[in-house]
């Protein structure tokens, strides 16, 4: 065997050992045993499929978070509306008992107007800069604060919470605050009429009765019940999505994961072998023609 052959063989062995050491170091650093598809085409394909499924799961998780954001924004607004309507109902009962003078009735009328303004604020509640009671419209106000004109297009806002499953996350404002039945005015206009009738001492003959206020309260509570049912569905979907993510990540780790302790031990062994090979090669391979002749 010539000196050139010995040198070539030694170099090949060194390069292999160095390559193996570098690969182990890369696995330890990256935490994956598949740095490129050519390492193992079968495992690489499986990892690709799992990563795609994890991406879909992650997107669903974002949708679930946004869906919950819609519901946790709408529900308190509807609860506030319900509380205000119940407060107004109590004021109407008080105004109708005949014990108040004109000043007292005007004071109650003012409270009704203030409660109406609070309800109008509830109706124009926003989530991420968008009115939550405006249907699928991207407007910032579901109801005009002056004319009470509705910006609700009666559209639905949906989010895909799991593959092929979409959830409606909005409650249309008109179903609570808009024109109802054979009526011609919104809740806000009704309350304006009620306030005017109370101030004028015409509670008994007002077109806005306790019954109509109760109907509005029922509409708001029914909307909250709808949100409650959707929240239960959302809770279940989040549990399923979270469990699926854990399963997919576990599968991905089985396919391309690295055992840190095992990889580090092998890296240490390869590094020791590489250093030893360098020393042996330095002594074995002659560096000059003079050394070869000597």
């Amino acid at each position: 065997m010539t000196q050139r052959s010995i040198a070539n063989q030694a170099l090949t062995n060194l390069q292999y050992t160095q390559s193996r050491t570098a690969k182990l170091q890369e696995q330890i650093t990256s935490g994956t045993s598949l740095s490129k598809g050519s390492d193992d085409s079968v495992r690489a394909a499986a990892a690709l499929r799992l990563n795609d499924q994890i991406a879909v799961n992650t997107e669903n998780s974002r949708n679930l978070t946004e869906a919950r954001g819609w519901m946790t924004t709408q529900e308190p607004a509807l609860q506030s509306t319900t509380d205000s309507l119940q407060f107004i109902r109590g004021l109407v009962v008080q105004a109708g008992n005949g014990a108040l003078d004109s000043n007292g009735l005007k004071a109650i009328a003012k409270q009704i107007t203030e409660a109406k303004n609070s309800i109008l604020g509830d109706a124009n509640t926003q989530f991420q800069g968008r009115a939550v009671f405006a249907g699928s419209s991207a407007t910032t106000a579901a109801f005009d604060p002056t004319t009470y004109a509705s910006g609700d297009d009666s559209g639905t806002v949906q989010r895909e919470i799991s593959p092929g499953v979409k959830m409606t996350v909005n409650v249309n404002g008109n179903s609570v605050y808009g024109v109802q039945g054979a009526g011609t005015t919104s809740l806000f206009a009704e309350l304006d009429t009620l306030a005017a009738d109370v101030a004028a001492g015409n509670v008994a003959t007002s077109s806005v009765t306790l019954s109509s206020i109760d109907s509005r309260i029922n509409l708001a509570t029914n909307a909250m019940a709808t949100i409650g049912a959707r929240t239960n569905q959302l809770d279940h979907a989040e549990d399923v999505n979270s469990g699926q993510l854990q399963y997919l990540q576990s599968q991905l780790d089985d396919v391309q994961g690295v055992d840190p302790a095992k990889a580090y031990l092998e890296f240490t062994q390869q590094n020791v072998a590489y250093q030893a090979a360098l020393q042996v090669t330095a002594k074995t391979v002659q560096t000059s023609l003079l050394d070869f002749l000597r």
Side-chain angles (χ1 to χ4, degrees):
M1 181 176 291
T2 65
Q3 189 69 17
R4 182 183 180 89
S5 298
I6 295 174
N8 287 339
Q9 184 174 359
L11 180 60
T12 299
N13 291 336
L14 283 173
Q15 288 176 335
Y16 173 79
T17 304
Q18 185 181 38
S19 175
R20 179 58 182 163
T21 302
K23 185 173 182 179
L24 287 168
Q25 186 175 27
E26 182 181 2
Q27 290 179 357
I28 293 171
T29 303
S30 65
T32 175
S33 61
L34 290 173
S35 57
K36 53 185 182 295
S38 59
D39 290 341
D40 189 323
S41 60
V42 175
R43 288 197 300 135
L48 183 61
R49 287 193 299 271
L50 288 167
N51 278 315
D52 287 343
Q53 291 175 328
I54 288 174
V56 171
N57 182 281
T58 302
E59 177 64 24
N60 289 336
S61 179
R62 285 194 291 267
N63 290 340
L64 286 163
T65 299
E66 187 174 349
R68 188 169 292 280
W70 274 82
M71 294 180 194
T72 55
T73 300
Q74 293 172 104
E75 188 172 19
L78 290 167
Q79 183 62 62
S80 176
T81 294
T82 301
D83 293 342
S84 294
L85 287 171
Q86 289 173 338
F87 173 68
I88 290 171
R89 190 185 194 286
L91 292 175
V92 173
V93 171
Q94 184 180 353
N97 63 16
L100 297 175
D101 59 15
S102 61
N103 289 331
L105 291 174
K106 288 177 181 178
I108 286 181
K110 185 177 180 181
Q111 292 182 72
I112 291 173
T113 298
E114 290 174 350
K116 181 263 299 185
N117 291 334
S118 176
I119 293 172
L120 183 57
D122 297 335
N124 285 327
T125 298
Q126 296 180 6
F127 175 67
Q128 296 180 344
R130 178 176 173 177
V132 295
F133 295 114
S136 59
S137 172
T139 184
T140 56
F143 295 90
D144 187 279
T146 303
T147 65
Y148 310 141
S150 174
D152 178 11
D153 63 2
S154 299
T156 59
V157 178
Q158 294 186 324
R159 294 293 180 268
E160 186 168 345
I161 59 174
S162 61
V165 178
K166 292 184 177 182
M167 171 188 282
T168 298
V169 300
N170 71 308
V171 170
N172 292 115
N174 285 333
S175 66
V176 177
Y177 304 101
V179 177
Q180 298 296 319
T184 59
T185 59
S186 66
L187 169 61
F188 318 110
E190 287 177 358
L191 294 178
D192 282 343
T193 298
L194 177 62
D197 288 341
V198 169
N202 298 325
V203 178
T205 59
S206 176
S207 60
V208 183
T209 63
L210 290 177
S211 177
S212 60
I213 295 174
D214 288 339
S215 295
R216 291 288 185 175
I217 292 174
N218 288 336
L219 291 172
T221 54
N222 288 341
M224 284 191 290
T226 297
I227 291 176
R230 291 173 181 171
T231 299
N232 291 335
Q233 181 185 359
L234 191 65
D235 291 340
H236 176 70
E238 285 179 335
D239 289 342
V240 172
N241 200 63
S242 177
Q244 184 184 41
L245 179 60
Q246 292 179 3
Y247 172 76
L248 291 172
Q249 288 176 332
S250 174
Q251 291 294 303
L252 183 61
D253 188 58
D254 289 342
V255 170
Q256 65 175 28
V258 173
D259 183 340
K262 180 180 178 181
Y264 185 75
L265 177 61
E266 189 174 351
F267 169 76
T268 302
Q269 293 173 338
Q270 288 290 335
N271 195 43
V272 169
Y274 177 67
Q275 296 299 327
L278 281 176
Q279 295 177 13
V280 170
T281 301
K283 293 179 180 180
T284 302
V285 178
Q286 303 298 324
T287 59
S288 69
L289 179 61
L290 182 60
D291 290 333
F292 177 74
L293 295 174
R294 195 163 44 189

